[in-house]
Amino acid sequence: MARTGFLKGRMFTLHRKNQPGFVEDFPDPAPTPQIAEKDGDLLTCGGGVTATEMMLSVIAQVCGEDFAIAVSDMCLNAPDVAIHIEQRSSIAKPSVHALHVFWPFADYVTISRIP
């Protein structure tokens, strides 16, 4: 996406371990240190569990929070994501036991966008 110019002028992120090499090849624009970013129709995240949280946020917006919780349970997911935090090693993360809808994605999907 960076090579094509798609990221020019957009907020985005990627896994923290990939950011230094990315910035060497593509210094502008630089990824943010956040776990997730939403810029218009572009949704990006640091990967791993964050991708699941992003998916659950979209599901909650489209199908409701109860359904998103059911999907989370089926994924054996125990979300512990705080709002707008920087990426860090999992050994350093605080424990929070509640479903938090990712604020960057809360307004991304509307029923009219479902194919």
Side-chain angles (χ1 to χ4, degrees):
M1 289 192 303
R3 195 168 279 122
T4 66
F6 182 74
L7 297 176
K8 279 281 189 213
R10 312 232 14 212
M11 297 284 289
F12 69 97
T13 193
L14 52 114
H15 194 280
R16 63 185 169 80
K17 290 185 178 180
N18 297 111
Q19 289 189 11
F22 179 90
V23 171
E24 283 183 25
D25 292 338
F26 306 100
D28 185 39
T32 72
Q34 306 307 318
I35 58 174
E37 287 289 352
K38 174 187 176 277
D39 189 345
D41 60 354
L42 176 65
L43 289 86
T44 57
C45 66
V49 174
T50 307
T52 302
E53 295 301 323
M54 186 169 62
M55 170 200 69
L56 290 170
S57 176
V58 171
I59 290 171
Q61 183 69 27
V62 174
C63 302
E65 191 169 314
D66 288 342
F67 187 74
I69 290 169
V71 172
S72 179
D73 288 345
M74 301 235 5
C75 294
L76 301 176
N77 184 54
D80 61 352
V81 179
I83 295 174
H84 205 71
I85 59 173
E86 290 188 8
Q87 298 179 42
R88 63 186 174 275
S89 165
S90 61
I91 199 166
K93 70 181 177 183
S95 179
V96 177
H97 300 288
L99 176 64
H100 295 283
V101 176
F102 252 18
W103 75 265
F105 307 102
D107 64 348
Y108 175 67
V109 176
T110 61
I111 298 298
S112 63
R113 289 189 181 170
I114 297 176

